[in-house]
């Protein structure tokens, strides 16, 4: 049973255990690590999110921003050197990042990047 | 041994034995956490001790020692600190001396918050006025309170689809309350769980239904009003110039029932005594009449006319209502000339802001002015006027949390996350850990006999007498018979009783069924009761002393949404709002997320009492978050309790075995192919481990026996050989290997 917990696979989500979603370019995407790890034994979490700007809020929350649109995969890996676990991979979060669109109800934009299309 | 109480050295008698018991979380009790304590020991009635106790027990003394906290320090003969800043309780005075107990560890936080309400932590900085602006602001700003949209069983919508803030309540961020309690207590805290989504997005509702306004104070009331210009007894034959093109009339009082106004002038102009918002209510049924003139200006015909009712201010100098500057339309189209239906029903309910020294007046005006001149008004139902002072409700969290104990709030958090506090001995910090985090420690102490620790096993039990086959974590429900969100820890042990409740929460849960009152389904958190009266109108009665936990999630409306106060008659448009979520908040969810290790332990419960050789250093440095490996007992243990350590020597310890067995899937299977144990001599066995070399890269392999430190074998050939103790009797041992990338399964060998 101890080995169970030493090799416990990390679970990440977008909030409310969600593992997929659609976001806009430039939008802040919060990723949460639900699995608890003894901080004295495990290395800092490594977030694998190609193309994203990653801001670490804490060991259990990371804020990502994508500038490019498209399908994206996000995962993390964690390792305990004393236990020689090797890198333990998390589940994968799949998201779609879309360019910002203007609609009749609401325009979302930020001060650094505004994109619009003609559709 | 040296004892200091309240900065005073206490003399210990030759026979004084201070026995220390150390514990943090007795797994036998899920709903409580434990603290370290000593036995009740006696210190002699020496002159020095009497002075230290402020002469307690001497006739005429005024010693407060039994009633106050006195810091305690207990040192070993060698100067090691057994107890640092503990609590002393002077239990009594016998013929042999003062009887004392000492506590330390978790007791500090519990003592600091003992008998204190959450309101004592001072939440005044989040007090605010309940109005539309503040409600919407809480949605868009990161405040420590938020009006989370939910069905609180009040009038959630008005005017068909407008979100009614009158029946929303604020929720306070749980992490904020947690911080305030620690700030109040003077301690700090740490722990991974406090950085998780599950803790940060956790809110607690205001405990009662609270409207947007306090009960209104009536400052003027009259059921005897009139619209001036009464029905003339005769129709004038000659033209009356004063009637020509007159278009309006004043509403004036005849008598009144309540008059707390500053002044009433000419029975028409009503001046309040202080500035503020006022509700104006005017009711009645009238028949407004006009005169129809032809070219010769003779009034020929009295006709029904349609009028508008207006509010004006500061018009005392206007004798003729036609000269008044009309400010606010209160009601239009009173009376109609269509189909000869000409009774106008007046039903005005308006909020008016009045400044100091302002007066109000009310003018009924012909709305079809170019056809008729205003004639008179017949009253079918008496016209009534009421003016009330309107004050916004002030949301006062301090007041709301009176009676809600800090200790109860503290316990609710520990229960929901399966946490145990571990106090740092020399600082004011508490580190909160789940059992899973404790089991993940690499801080293992070897208390095997070879290290002169384990001596003998005194007993072993398999049944936790305080548990049952089904151990319920119970919520609070509006219907006490409900249990739909309760959780259970099941123990597969037929020798236990059937069911027992191990935790009783004081926090309510929402109703079982959701509602569709809003655009999306929401849970119902009852803070109002609906009473349907005989006339089928609904009366909403506020409920109290109901705390709910919830989370929120921002929701984007399909179109612009109106949110407002029906009472205050203010509204605003929004595009999104935070809606409630009960995600992960039931005890059945909590058990799945945080109690699995406890479940595993309880289902293979092995509680071992053993004599362990402990010295002063062991007690001084005792760490209950460690795991203790004892070869003679077959593996790893949590130290549940150290019983009555007096001095260096054998001490009874209570240990809970935690299996060190691999679960399926952990480590790569079928790497270790065979393990051969060969005797070398009476004390030593030769161990050979054969493994699949094709799955191991690198030039060397590490092997780990019994969870200890890795040992590097300098080659990777498919065989590892090493010497190992030949135990009598033989013991099971575990081993796994790794090349730093791939980790094998764990196998067992006997040596």
């Amino acid at each position: 049973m101890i080995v169970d917990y030493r090799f416990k696979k990390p679970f990440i989500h977008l909030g409310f255990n969600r593992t997929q979603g659609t976001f806009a370019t430039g939008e802040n995407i919060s990723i949460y690590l639900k699995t608890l790890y003894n901080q004295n034994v495990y290395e800092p979490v490594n977030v694998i999110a190609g193309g994203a700007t990653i801001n670490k809020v804490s060991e259990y929350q990371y804020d990502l921003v994508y500038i490019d649109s498209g399908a994206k995969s996000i995962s993390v890996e964690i390792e305990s050197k004393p236990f020689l676990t090797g890198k333990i991979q998390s589940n994968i979060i799949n998201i779609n990042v879309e360019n910002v669109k203007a609609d009749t109800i609401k325009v979302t934009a930020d001060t650094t990047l505004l994109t619009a299309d003609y559709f | 041994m040296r004892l200091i109480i309240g900065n005073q050295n206490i003399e210990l008698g030759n026979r004084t034995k201070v026995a220390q018991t150390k514990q943090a979380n007795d797994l036998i009790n899920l709903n409580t956490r434990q603290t370290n304590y000593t036995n009740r020991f006696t210190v002699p009635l020496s002159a020095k001790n009497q002075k230290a106790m402020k002469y307690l027990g001497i006739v005429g003394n005024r010693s407060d020692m039994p009633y106050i906290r006195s810091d305690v320090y207990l040192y070993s003969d060698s100067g090691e600190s057994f107890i640092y800043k503990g609590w002393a309780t002077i239990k009594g005075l016998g013929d042999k001396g003062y009887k004392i107990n000492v506590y330390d560890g978790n007791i500090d936080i519990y003592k600091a918050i003992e008998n204190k309400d959450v309101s004592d932590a001072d939440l005044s900085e989040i007090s605010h006025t309940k109005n539309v602006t503040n409600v919407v602001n809480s949605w868009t700003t990161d405040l420590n309170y938020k009006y989370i949209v939910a069905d609180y069983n009040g009038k959630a919508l008005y005017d068909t689809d407008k979100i009614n803030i009158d029946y929303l309540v604020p929720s306070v961020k749980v992490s904020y309350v947690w911080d305030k309690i620690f700030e109040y207590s003077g301690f700090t805290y740490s722990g991974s769980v406090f950085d998780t989504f599950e803790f940060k997005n956790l809110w607690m509702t205001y405990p009662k239904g609270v409207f947007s306004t306090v009960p209104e104070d009536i400052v003027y009331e009259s059921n005897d009003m009139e619209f001036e210009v009464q029905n003339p007894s005769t129709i004038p034959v000659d033209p009356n110039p004063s009637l020509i093109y007159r278009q309006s009339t004043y509403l004036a009082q005849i008598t009144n029932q309540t008059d707390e106004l500053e002044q009433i002038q000419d029975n028409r102009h009503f001046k309040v005594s202080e500035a503020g918002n006022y509700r104006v209510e005017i009711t009645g049924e009238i028949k407004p009449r006009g005169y129809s003139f032809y070219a010769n200006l003779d009034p020929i015909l009295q006709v029904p006319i349609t009028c508008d009712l207006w509010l004006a201010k500061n018009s005392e100098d206007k004798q003729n209502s036609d000269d008044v500057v009309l400010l606010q339309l209160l009601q239009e189209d009173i009376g109609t000339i269509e189909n000869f239906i000409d009774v106008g029903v007046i039903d005005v309910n308006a909020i008016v802001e009045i400044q100091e020294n302002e007066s109000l007046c009310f003018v009924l005006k012909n709305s079809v002015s170019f056809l008729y001149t205003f004639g008179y008004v017949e009253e079918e139902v008496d016209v009534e006027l009421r003016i009330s002072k309107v004050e916004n409700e002030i949301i006062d969290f301090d007041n709301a949390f009176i009676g809600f104990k800090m200790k109860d709030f503290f316990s609710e958090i520990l229960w929901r996350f399966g946490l145990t506090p571990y106090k740092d001995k020399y600082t004011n910090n508490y580190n909160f850990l789940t059992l899973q985090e404790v089991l993940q420690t690499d801080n293992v102490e070897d208390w095997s006999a070879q290290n002169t620790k384990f001596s003998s096993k005194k007993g072993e039990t398999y049944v936790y007498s305080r548990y049952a086959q089904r151990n319920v974590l119970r919520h609070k429900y509006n219907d006490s018979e409900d249990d739909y969100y309760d959780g259970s820890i099941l123990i597969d042990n037929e020798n236990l009783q059937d069911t027992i409740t191990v935790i009783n929460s004081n926090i309510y849960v929402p109703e079982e069924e959701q509602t569709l009152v809003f655009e999306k389904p929401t849970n119902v958190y009852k803070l109002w009761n609906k009473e349907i009266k005989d006339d089928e109108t609904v009366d909403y009665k506020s409920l109290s002393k109901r705390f709910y936990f919830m989370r929120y999630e921002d929701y984007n409306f399909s179109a612009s949404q109106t949110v407002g106060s029906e009472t205050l008659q203010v509204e605003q448009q929004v595009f999104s709002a935070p809606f409630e979520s009960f995600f992960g908040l039931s005890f059945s969810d909590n058990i799945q997320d945080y109690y699995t290790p406890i479940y595993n332990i309880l289902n293979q419960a092995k509680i071992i009492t053993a004599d362990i050789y402990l010295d002063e250093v062991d007690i001084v440095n005792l760490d209950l978050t460690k795991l203790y490996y004892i070869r003679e007992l077959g593996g790893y243990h949590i130290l549940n309790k150290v019983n009555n350590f007096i001095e260096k020597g054998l001490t009874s310890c209570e240990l809970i075995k935690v299996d060190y067995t691999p679960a399926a899937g952990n480590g790569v299977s079928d790497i270790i192919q065979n393990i051969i144990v060969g005797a070398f001599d009476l004390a030593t066995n030769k161990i050979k481990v054969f493994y699949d070399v094709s799955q191991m890269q690198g030039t060397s392999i590490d092997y780990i026996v019994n969870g200890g430190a890795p040992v590097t074998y300098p080659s990777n050939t498919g065989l590892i050989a090493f010497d190992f103790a030949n135990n009598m009797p033989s013991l099971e041992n575990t081993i796994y290997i790794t090349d730093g990338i791939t980790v094998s399964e764990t196998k067992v060998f006997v040596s």
Side-chain angles (χ1 to χ4, degrees), chain B residues 296-460:
Chain B
N296 60 3
L297 298 181
D298 284 330
I300 295 176
L301 197 60
Q302 298 168 29
V303 294
I305 57 173
T306 302
C307 294
D308 298 334
L309 183 58
W310 287 84
L311 176 140
K313 289 183 180 178
N314 306 326
S315 301
E316 288 88 335
D317 59 335
K318 303 290 188 294
Q319 195 58 33
N320 187 338
S321 58
D322 286 353
D323 298 328
V324 170
V325 175
L326 302 175
L327 294 178
Q328 180 178 338
L329 178 63
L330 297 175
Q331 186 175 345
E332 62 184 349
D333 297 338
I334 300 171
T336 176
I337 57 175
E338 292 179 8
N339 300 322
F340 301 102
I341 298 172
D342 60 353
V343 176
V345 177
I346 301 175
D347 186 13
V348 168
N349 186 334
I351 304 285
V352 179
E353 187 180 350
I354 306 177
Q355 304 298 331
E356 206 169 336
N357 293 320
E358 281 190 332
S359 66
L360 303 180
C361 63
F362 306 96
V363 174
L364 189 70
K365 184 174 185 295
N366 181 6
S367 58
V368 192
S369 58
F370 65 93
L371 288 178
Y372 311 109
T373 192
F374 198 99
Y376 58 93
V377 177
E378 291 178 4
E379 288 191 17
E380 294 291 299
V381 173
D382 290 345
V383 176
E384 300 183 6
L385 170 66
R386 181 189 298 150
I387 302 174
S388 311
K389 184 117 190 338
V390 175
E391 303 219 25
N392 285 86
E393 180 74 55
I394 303 292
I395 301 296
D396 181 349
F397 280 94
D398 277 342
N399 190 38
F401 288 155
I402 290 174
F404 187 33
K405 297 297 175 199
M406 282 190 190
K407 183 169 171 290
D408 291 339
F409 178 83
F410 190 77
S411 294
E412 295 284 350
I413 302 303
L414 297 190
W415 293 337
R416 269 159 183 70
F417 294 97
L419 294 171
T420 299
Y422 295 92
K423 185 182 177 299
D424 182 272
K425 188 172 178 179
Y426 298 107
T427 72
N428 280 340
N429 189 70
Y430 280 87
N431 190 27
F432 289 83
L433 297 174
T434 61
L435 184 54
Q436 176 173 300
E437 291 171 282
V438 170
L439 291 174
Q440 286 173 343
T441 185
D442 67 337
N443 201 354
V444 179
E445 190 137 349
D446 190 342
W447 275 6
S448 303
Q450 68 187 31
N451 292 326
T452 328
K453 287 293 173 211
F454 174 79
S455 174
S456 62
K457 184 166 80 175
K458 306 310 275 185
E460 188 171 291

Side-chain angles (χ1 to χ4, degrees), chain B residues 128-385:
Chain B
H128 60 277
T129 302
K130 185 180 177 185
N131 56 37
V132 175
T133 301
N134 283 339
V135 167
V136 174
N137 189 48
S138 78
W139 295 353
T140 56
T141 312
D142 185 21
L143 301 176
N144 288 315
Y145 68 88
K146 194 181 287 287
Y147 283 82
I148 299 174
V149 177
D151 186 349
Y152 297 99
N153 206 41
K155 190 178 180 185
L157 300 175
Y158 70 102
D159 287 355
T160 309
D161 60 356
K162 297 177 181 175
I163 294 177
N164 191 1
I165 73 149
D166 296 343
Y167 292 91
L168 293 183
V169 299
S171 293
V172 64
K173 203 184 278 188
V174 162
S175 59
Y176 169 75
V177 177
W178 185 260
D179 284 345
K180 294 296 282 185
I181 289 174
F182 271 84
E183 185 184 314
Y184 173 86
S185 68
F187 293 94
T188 59
Y189 68 91
S190 54
S192 292
V193 75
F194 303 113
D195 287 330
T196 61
F197 168 86
E198 287 72 19
F199 184 79
K200 288 163 78 169
N201 189 357
L202 181 60
W203 302 74
M204 186 164 69
T205 65
Y206 206 73
K208 60 181 179 180
V210 56
F211 297 99
S212 300
T213 58
V214 297
E216 295 172 2
D217 205 15
I218 299 174
V219 297
Y220 178 85
E221 191 169 26
S222 166
N223 59 12
D224 193 17
M225 306 291 292
E226 65 172 359
F227 287 102
E228 296 173 338
V229 182
Q230 289 298 304
N231 185 10
S233 57
T234 59
I235 298 172
V237 175
D238 294 328
N240 185 342
S242 69
L243 293 178
I244 293 175
Y245 303 130
R246 180 159 185 182
Q247 296 304 317
S248 66
T249 184
Y250 277 111
L251 177 64
Q253 73 167 2
I254 301 172
T255 60
N256 65 58
Q257 289 74 54
T258 304
D259 176 13
E260 292 179 18
L261 297 172
E262 177 78 15
Q263 184 188 34
I264 303 174
Q265 184 166 321
D266 297 331
N267 294 318
R268 300 165 174 172
H269 304 280
F270 305 89
K271 184 183 282 189
V272 298
S273 56
E274 59 184 63
N277 288 326
Y278 287 84
R279 183 182 304 281
V280 170
E281 296 170 271
I282 306 173
T283 57
E285 290 184 18
I286 59 172
K287 290 184 178 180
R289 292 286 182 264
Y291 295 119
S292 172
F293 287 89
Y294 289 98
N296 60 3
L297 298 181
D298 284 330
I300 295 176
L301 197 60
Q302 298 168 29
V303 294
I305 57 173
T306 302
C307 294
D308 298 334
L309 183 58
W310 287 84
L311 176 140
K313 289 183 180 178
N314 306 326
S315 301
E316 288 88 335
D317 59 335
K318 303 290 188 294
Q319 195 58 33
N320 187 338
S321 58
D322 286 353
D323 298 328
V324 170
V325 175
L326 302 175
L327 294 178
Q328 180 178 338
L329 178 63
L330 297 175
Q331 186 175 345
E332 62 184 349
D333 297 338
I334 300 171
T336 176
I337 57 175
E338 292 179 8
N339 300 322
F340 301 102
I341 298 172
D342 60 353
V343 176
V345 177
I346 301 175
D347 186 13
V348 168
N349 186 334
I351 304 285
V352 179
E353 187 180 350
I354 306 177
Q355 304 298 331
E356 206 169 336
N357 293 320
E358 281 190 332
S359 66
L360 303 180
C361 63
F362 306 96
V363 174
L364 189 70
K365 184 174 185 295
N366 181 6
S367 58
V368 192
S369 58
F370 65 93
L371 288 178
Y372 311 109
T373 192
F374 198 99
Y376 58 93
V377 177
E378 291 178 4
E379 288 191 17
E380 294 291 299
V381 173
D382 290 345
V383 176
E384 300 183 6
L385 170 66

Side-chain angles (χ1 to χ4, degrees), chain B residues 5 16 41 52 95 99 115 128 158 189 246 256 263 311 313 360 378 513 566 623 696 706 716 722:
Chain B
I5 298 179
T16 301
F41 57 91
D95 54 353
K99 299 177 184 178
N115 294 324
H128 60 277
Y158 70 102
Y189 68 91
R246 180 159 185 182
N256 65 58
Q263 184 188 34
L311 176 140
K313 289 183 180 178
L360 303 180
E378 291 178 4
E513 301 296 327
E566 185 179 26
D623 185 348
M696 290 280 150
N706 294 328
N716 179 13
F722 57 93

Side-chain angles (χ1 to χ4, degrees), chain A residues 1 4-5 18 38 61 84, chain B residues 200 440 553 600 659 661 663:
Chain A
M1 183 239 300
D4 292 343
Y5 298 113
R18 291 205 191 94
N38 187 316
Q61 182 182 344
L84 300 175
Chain B
K200 288 163 78 169
Q440 286 173 343
E553 186 175 14
N600 286 335
D659 276 339
T661 52

Side-chain angles (χ1 to χ4, degrees), chain B residues 691-703:
Chain B
Y691 64 92
D692 182 357
V693 67
S694 68
Q695 298 200 57
M696 290 280 150
Q697 313 300 318
T699 56
S700 64
I701 301 294
D702 287 341
Y703 65 92

